[in-house]
Amino acid sequence: MPKKGKVREYVDENGQKRFRFTISRQSSKIPGLRVTKEREGIKTYEEAVKLHDKLREEAKAELAVKETKGCSWANVVQRFGYAYEMGEGFDPPVSKATAIDTLRGLEIHTRDWWHLAAADMTKLMVQSLMRQLEAQGLSKSRRRSIKGYIGAAWTWGRDNSLIQGVHHNPIEGVKIGRSAKKGEEKPPEVLNRTEILKLMETSTIYQHPWRVIWGVALLTGMRNGELHALEWSDVDFENRMLNVTKTYNTRFKKVTSTKSGCWRTVPINDDLYQLLAELRATSQGRKHVLPRFKDWDRGEQARILREFCASIGITSVKFHALRASFATQLLQTGVSAATVMTICGWRDYETMMIYIRRAGIDIQGATDKIQILTPVEAVKKIVPLFNLRGGT
């Protein structure tokens, strides 16, 4: 029989008397390991008691099995991250920035494994993750880093008895796929005009919560951190200008100066004015221009954009590609490279040249005078000759 109060009576939405209970068993051997079972909507107290006793034994058995395997991957990562940042058991200790990058990488890219026992992680899972990251456009060095993070956390968990019953690290034997050769330049990811229009139209139809963030990014060319830090005090509606003076550092979770260290202004066109007016009308006293999402604070903006782009059938790009798309659109409409550099905050002309080549404006019309095909009228006279007997 459960203790008095474990099975509770309540009234459901239809006014019927029902019973519910929660069973929670915590491991005395492994901190943070717990098994929980809940049931509700049970018609009688006797039925609830019977089910409670059955699930209590199931929870006990399940906990015993989990104790033989050790902690969940989430628990291992969280405890590893704390120890890594504090330098506990690491010689030499790592910098705070390295610790934050490591934990963030694990949280973002291995979240699907969170509730899995770390002992159940396999080489196949890591291989699958590496292929996913490659498909998302992550560089070979970045994929290698994430693989290293997984291996380091798993080894630490095993050495600290959080992972039991296995000895082979799941990253062993996992190879990182080929990426661009050293010195080989890859063209920047961009959305063309048709894709931009489809992104904004579809996200508006479905009222995607990131719609306004993507819209402002595509109309200003601002970096992710600059958008995150943008405040209403930076918006000059009267002169139709945005003042870009700061950026949000996701690693240290604080606002700093822009990447180049210089402030700049971005003109507000009609579309941007309309979008900002819409945001201001719904801001409800919020000091930041754009809404706040936990996924954005955690640095998952690239994943969210890639997934949505893929779902609507356009090029699956990372968030930074919106900035590249803005620059390319300006160049293709005839805005000078010097002006684009000023608006976007680039100080390196070599970087600017990548977008000039991507837009194709440096070679437009260069081949117009080369003609090797017969004029259309002449072709009409020549073609019938091939229909004569003996023609080929």
Side-chain angles (χ1 to χ4, degrees), residues 144-162:
R144 185 184 293 116
S145 294
I146 294 166
K147 173 189 166 185
Y149 299 161
I150 296 169
W154 196 95
T155 298
W156 181 89
R158 181 197 60 196
D159 294 346
N160 286 273
S161 301
L162 301 180

Side-chain angles (χ1 to χ4, degrees), residues 95-115:
S95 68
K96 183 176 181 180
T98 298
I100 291 173
D101 280 346
T102 300
L103 186 58
R104 232 177 108 237
L106 289 169
E107 288 179 341
I108 291 173
H109 300 295
T110 68
R111 186 166 290 275
D112 288 345
W113 307 344
W114 235 225
H115 299 294

Side-chain angles (χ1 to χ4, degrees), residues 3 20 44 73 76 79 89 98 120 138 143 158 181 201 214 222 227 250-251 255 302 317 348 359-361 367 374:
K3 292 180 180 179
R20 64 166 65 132
T44 68
W73 178 238
V76 170
R79 296 182 66 180
T98 298
D120 287 337
L138 271 69
R143 283 178 275 138
R158 181 197 60 196
K181 295 178 181 178
E201 179 183 354
W214 297 335
M222 292 170 65
L227 291 165
T250 54
R251 176 189 289 175
V255 175
V317 296
D348 181 0
I361 60 170
T367 60
T374 307

